[in-house]
Amino acid sequence: MTSPNTLSLDKARFNMIEQQVRPWDVLDPTVLALLDTVPRDLFVSAAHKAMAYVDMELPLGDGADQVMLAPRVQARLVQDLAVQTTDKVLVIGTGSGFTTALLAKLAQRVVSLEIDETIARAARAHLQAAGIANADVRVADAAANGFAACAAEAPWDAILVAGSVAEVPQALLALLAPGGRLAVIAGQEPMMRATFVTRVADASFRTAQPWDTIAPRLRNFPEPSRFSF
């Protein structure tokens, strides 16, 4: 027998897809189906389970930057990255593991880097609970030592930076395979741009910035100097 709580979560999931995600131009039927079949409530703490499908960021740790991005932002990033079934994907900023789970359902394999060991441990448990077997969560400072942790298994077919940075990290572009794509939220508040960069040749890249959003900064990524001389 289906419990009232399950019915409530099912309704919330339906409302999330129809009222939050679709209006944000997430129309890919495969991505919409994943949002219906990968339970987002498995990726939040018990204290926030009732808010799993609400249009807001949810806290993951003690820091203001330690959040689960709003569902519409996660869904749009995943859709616009256009992951293929043969892709090897890198995620920088595992967080709850939900975005990693969506990508793992689309890709051949996902490596997901998280700087906070406690958050990484929880993400592994969430992915296991959701039956995701092709995602590897590792504790690493992605930006350290010239992005060494990201370079170890390059080239990547797709890279998703699951938070904001001041500008597109050029070192990550060098880790893309031919035809590879990078997704990142770049810029400064009050306006940041979802930025998608495709490697069209060895030294040639195509950039698109199709939509605006705001997201917390990822830790330890460089900030440009605000001073000029």
Side-chain angles (χ1 to χ4, degrees), residues 8-9 12-13 16-17 20-21 35 38-58 68-72 74 96 98:
S8 177
L9 288 173
R13 186 181 304 114
M16 176 194 75
I17 294 169
Q20 301 172 38
V21 175
L35 294 171
V38 179
R40 199 170 188 268
D41 53 279
L42 291 180
F43 291 83
V44 302
S45 67
H48 297 101
K49 196 168 289 290
M51 294 183 285
Y53 299 100
V54 176
D55 185 20
M56 63 183 293
E57 295 172 350
L58 296 177
M68 184 182 192
L69 295 176
R72 56 187 167 83
Q74 292 176 309
S96 70
F98 184 67

Side-chain angles (χ1 to χ4, degrees), residues 21-228:
V21 175
R22 279 187 189 273
W24 245 50
D25 288 334
V26 179
L27 303 174
D28 185 316
T30 302
V31 174
L32 293 172
L34 285 179
L35 294 171
D36 192 40
T37 57
V38 179
R40 199 170 188 268
D41 53 279
L42 291 180
F43 291 83
V44 302
S45 67
H48 297 101
K49 196 168 289 290
M51 294 183 285
Y53 299 100
V54 176
D55 185 20
M56 63 183 293
E57 295 172 350
L58 296 177
L60 298 174
D62 297 328
D65 58 332
Q66 295 176 310
V67 301
M68 184 182 192
L69 295 176
R72 56 187 167 83
V73 176
Q74 292 176 309
R76 185 78 189 267
L77 285 169
V78 169
Q79 172 187 264
D80 292 358
L81 191 56
V83 169
Q84 307 299 308
T85 56
T86 55
D87 283 351
K88 181 176 69 172
V89 179
L90 173 68
V91 176
I92 300 176
T94 309
S96 70
F98 184 67
T99 301
T100 293
L102 297 178
L103 291 169
K105 287 284 190 178
L106 296 169
Q108 183 179 85
R109 178 167 174 258
V110 178
V111 174
S112 194
L113 306 182
E114 171 56 50
I115 197 170
D116 187 292
E117 185 170 358
T118 301
I119 291 175
R121 191 182 310 118
R124 290 191 196 104
H126 297 157
L127 289 162
Q128 184 176 14
I132 305 295
N134 62 329
D136 181 13
V137 176
R138 303 175 186 174
V139 178
D141 180 349
N145 302 316
F147 293 90
C150 303
E153 296 182 49
W156 301 96
D157 300 300
I159 301 174
L160 188 147
V161 182
S164 73
V165 298
E167 53 195 22
V168 175
Q170 296 302 302
L172 288 181
L173 298 181
L175 304 182
L176 290 173
R181 291 89 57 213
L182 169 72
V184 62
I185 297 167
Q188 305 285 346
E189 291 193 64
M191 188 183 78
M192 301 177 187
R193 305 295 303 273
T195 303
F196 298 85
V197 184
T198 302
R199 186 170 202 163
V200 294
D202 282 350
S204 179
F205 298 87
R206 181 177 66 247
T207 301
Q209 293 183 310
W211 43 280
D212 301 337
T213 190
I214 298 290
R217 281 286 195 253
L218 285 181
R219 293 185 182 182
N220 296 352
F221 275 69
E223 291 287 338
S225 172
R226 295 182 179 274
F227 298 96
S228 58

